[in-house]
Amino acid sequence: EGPTKGGWRLSDDGVIDGYSRGTMKLVQSTEDYRRHMNLKPYVLEGVRTSADGTQTKENETEIATAEQETNIERKQSGAVFRPGDEAPSVLDEIAKKNEKLMEERKNEGEQPFIPFIRWEGTLDTRVGENSKATRSGFCAARSPEFPLPINLKNNYNALEIMCRSDGRTYTVNLKISTFMPDDLYQGYITVPPTHKPGAAICERTGGEFVTLFVPFSTMILTSQGRMREVQRELDGLIKIENVGITLMDNVDGDFQFDLARIRAVNVVQGEVIEKDQEEEKKNQDGDDSMSNRFASTSE
């Protein structure tokens, strides 16, 4: 097993003399993200200092830049506009574009930063020269062991994962309390790339996340990487010891997976039923039951 990062443990096929490697980083703020991406510090509000030492408020700089763009486009269009004249349509278009630009910048600034774990590296399926293995090519990340296994008490039926994926097939692993120490329940994360190649990505947040569900009923019982012949249903009475993610899709190349949240949830018709909603439903069902009993005794 590999190094520990923030309680998470990394492993790869280096244990069998392979060449795959992965790293993990906790990104807690915009500053962390921009440092990781080798970008300049992001300043949303405050004072900007230009090369000549002039200090300008951020919003004043954006407005000035927008006005400069308007003047340049006006000159390029050849339009002549005098006070009292009706503005040509080209100026209307320029004004609308700048207004839209400023609104987009404002909305971007209002989007909260969501902390996440960035797991990235390279998968290499070559078998090492001194390896006794016949196949190679995997990287894995595993959460810390929970001090006390998390008892779901039959209240949950799926895992909810908020992530950004590169489109590769990842395996989510669920280690539960069992008499069989090698037992591991596995499900699959198969979603398109969160960001298409070449797409613009927000340099402040890293872009949007997607939320997906892995129902317990779809998870497969495995042992030492192989599916067990006799499957045991994964129900809501399990006790979770740890969770993990593995990449072993047999495809050479770089990978990147951002994990913002993973939790057990109760999903009904594609929607998460929160605890307060469950309590409200139970109370409502109880009231309905009482009403029915009262009605039956009154007849």
Side-chain angles (χ1 to χ4, degrees):
E1 296 197 349
T4 298
K5 294 292 184 181
W8 284 71
R9 185 173 294 276
L10 305 181
S11 59
D12 53 50
D13 57 23
V15 296
I16 55 173
D17 199 31
Y19 303 102
S20 302
R21 296 294 182 269
T23 62
M24 179 173 282
K25 180 176 179 60
L26 175 61
V27 183
Q28 303 184 78
S29 65
T30 295
E31 291 72 23
D32 283 350
Y33 174 71
R34 295 184 68 83
R35 278 196 297 268
H36 182 71
M37 299 299 294
N38 296 320
L39 300 172
K40 294 181 179 179
Y42 183 92
V43 180
L44 182 62
E45 295 179 352
V47 176
R48 173 183 292 175
T49 302
S50 61
D52 60 1
T54 303
Q55 291 186 334
T56 311
K57 288 185 178 180
E58 184 77 13
N59 60 346
E60 291 179 353
T61 303
E62 291 180 347
I63 293 172
T65 302
E67 290 177 349
Q68 292 171 1
E69 291 175 353
T70 301
N71 292 333
I72 291 172
E73 294 191 27
R74 182 184 299 164
K75 290 179 180 179
Q76 290 176 344
S77 68
V80 179
F81 181 60
R82 298 182 180 83
D85 291 347
E86 183 177 353
S89 58
V90 63
L91 298 184
D92 289 339
E93 292 300 322
I94 294 172
K96 289 178 181 178
K97 189 181 79 169
N98 286 329
E99 183 179 352
K100 181 181 179 182
L101 175 64
M102 297 303 294
E103 185 65 25
E104 288 176 351
R105 290 175 179 173
K106 179 182 177 182
N107 292 337
E108 179 183 301
E110 293 174 352
Q111 293 177 359
F113 182 89
I114 300 176
F116 62 92
I117 292 174
R118 170 155 291 183
W119 180 43
E120 59 187 349
T122 302
L123 205 71
D124 192 326
T125 58
R126 291 178 298 164
V127 177
E129 295 180 0
N130 301 319
S131 177
K132 296 180 180 179
T134 57
R135 296 178 59 188
S136 188
F138 76 87
C139 285
R142 192 189 71 192
S143 76
E145 295 282 345
F146 303 128
L148 294 175
I150 300 176
N151 192 343
L152 299 186
K153 297 181 179 179
N154 212 25
N155 292 326
Y156 307 96
N157 60 11
L159 289 179
E160 179 193 66
I161 301 173
M162 179 187 290
C163 64
R164 287 192 289 246
S165 174
D166 54 11
R168 300 183 69 156
T169 299
Y170 293 87
T171 304
V172 56
N173 309 311
L174 205 58
K175 182 71 175 68
I176 67 171
S177 296
T178 175
F179 292 109
M180 305 294 184
D182 294 327
D183 279 2
L184 196 67
Y185 281 91
Q186 295 186 317
Y188 297 97
I189 300 174
T190 54
V191 293
T194 308
H195 302 123
K196 295 180 180 180
I201 300 176
C202 177
E203 295 184 352
R204 190 180 66 84
T205 64
E208 297 182 354
F209 289 90
V210 296
T211 300
L212 54 95
F213 303 109
V214 181
F216 290 158
S217 60
T218 66
M219 301 191 80
I220 301 171
L221 177 60
T222 66
S223 178
Q224 297 182 346
R226 297 182 179 181
M227 185 174 69
R228 279 195 175 276
E229 291 184 6
V230 178
Q231 292 288 304
R232 297 194 306 275
E233 183 179 355
L234 183 61
D235 56 32
L237 294 175
I238 62 173
K239 294 181 180 180
I240 300 177
E241 294 184 352
N242 64 63
V243 296
I245 300 175
T246 302
L247 177 64
M248 48 181 182
D249 60 358
N250 203 35
V251 177
D252 290 336
D254 296 338
F255 68 89
Q256 184 181 94
F257 187 88
D258 293 344
L259 177 64
R261 182 176 68 201
I262 182 168
R263 62 172 182 162
V265 294
N266 187 22
V267 180
V268 178
Q269 295 181 349
E271 294 187 2
V272 175
I273 306 298
E274 301 293 351
K275 189 172 183 180
D276 54 348
Q277 292 176 304
E278 290 182 358
E279 293 296 330
E280 183 179 348
K281 186 177 185 303
K282 287 180 181 178
N283 294 335
Q284 184 178 359
D285 291 344
D287 293 341
D288 292 343
S289 178
M290 287 293 291
S291 299
N292 292 335
R293 287 201 297 271
F294 179 77
S296 62
T297 55
S298 300
E299 292 177 354

